[in-house]
Amino acid sequence: QKEVEQNSGPLSVPEGAIASLNCTYSDRGSQSFFWYRQYSGKSPELIMFIYSNGDKEDGRFTAQLNKASQYVSLLIRDSQPSDSATYLCAVKETSYDKVIFGPGTSLSVIP
Amino acid sequence: DGGITQSPKYLFRKEGQNVTLSCEQNLNHDAMYWYRQDPGQGLRLIYYSQIVNDFQKGDIAEGYSVSREKKESFPLTVTSAQKNPTAFYLCASSTRSGALYGYTFGSGTRLTVV
């Protein structure tokens, strides 16, 4: 059974700090990696996807991928209270056109 | 505006009753998915369909059924065989190879057994 693992949190950071969210995956052949943000009671929203080793930046968000270590992370710079949500890591399976989701990390940004 | 519409937002099911959750998209996406989310847990795949008139079981298909008669629609029926149906149900869609680019989710249906 292929797996995606995340620390469940909650992760608390002060406003303006950098929040670092981590994810590991078991399918060594995975090629596509995603970060979704889910506010309480709402559906997930795609915020980043990454395919290549290294960093990908979009505004205050940076996704980092290390395929050798089977590790993907999300950095949120200048964290705001509105960033308080659960962040889901997701990985596309090698063999099938579907995605496995991790359990999510709850982030709380303290004003 | 393009998007995915799920209805109803809240649904209450009596013991032994079948209920159907609606999912409609106007994004012209080929692939559609149903996920279940329980409190504090990630999303688990129930069924998915990559083309009209074809669908595959996901990881937790027992007690559920689907149909894909139109590209725009992918309804999910929760049957009486599903013993613990209380959960948040999410429908998603993507382009045919869109798992490469991520999913668009509907707003979800919260099902409660009464």
Side-chain angles (χ1 to χ4, degrees), chain B residues 64-95:
Chain B
Y64 300 97
S65 65
V66 294
S67 62
R68 187 85 187 277
E69 297 176 0
K70 298 187 300 181
K71 185 176 183 178
E72 301 79 17
S73 179
F74 192 41
L76 173 74
T77 296
V78 184
T79 75
S80 57
Q82 172 49 241
K83 297 307 179 188
N84 185 23
T86 295
F88 188 41
Y89 289 86
L90 289 158
C91 179
S93 71
S94 71
T95 58

Side-chain angles (χ1 to χ4, degrees), chain B residues 4-17:
Chain B
I4 300 180
T5 301
Q6 288 188 243
S7 63
K9 188 171 182 179
Y10 298 96
L11 185 58
F12 298 91
R13 193 194 93 166
K14 295 180 181 179
E15 295 283 350
Q17 188 179 43

Side-chain angles (χ1 to χ4, degrees), chain A residues 1 31-32 34 36 38 40-46 49 51 88 92 96-104, chain B residues 9 33 35 37 40-43 45 48 50 59 88 90 96-103 105-107 110:
Chain A
Q1 175 75 6
Q31 298 292 320
S32 307
F34 309 90
Y36 288 82
Q38 186 176 26
S40 180
K42 303 297 185 182
S43 60
E45 172 193 12
L46 180 67
F49 61 88
Y51 309 136
L88 303 172
K92 179 185 177 304
Y96 301 97
D97 196 21
K98 58 186 174 80
V99 166
I100 299 174
F101 286 81
Chain B
K9 188 171 182 179
Y33 311 82
Y35 283 90
Q37 187 175 35
Q41 298 189 30
L43 280 62
L45 183 64
Y48 65 105
Q50 294 183 302
D59 301 318
F88 188 41
L90 289 158
R96 182 65 186 274
S97 299
L100 289 174
Y101 307 108
Y103 297 161
F105 281 92
S107 58
R110 199 166 296 277

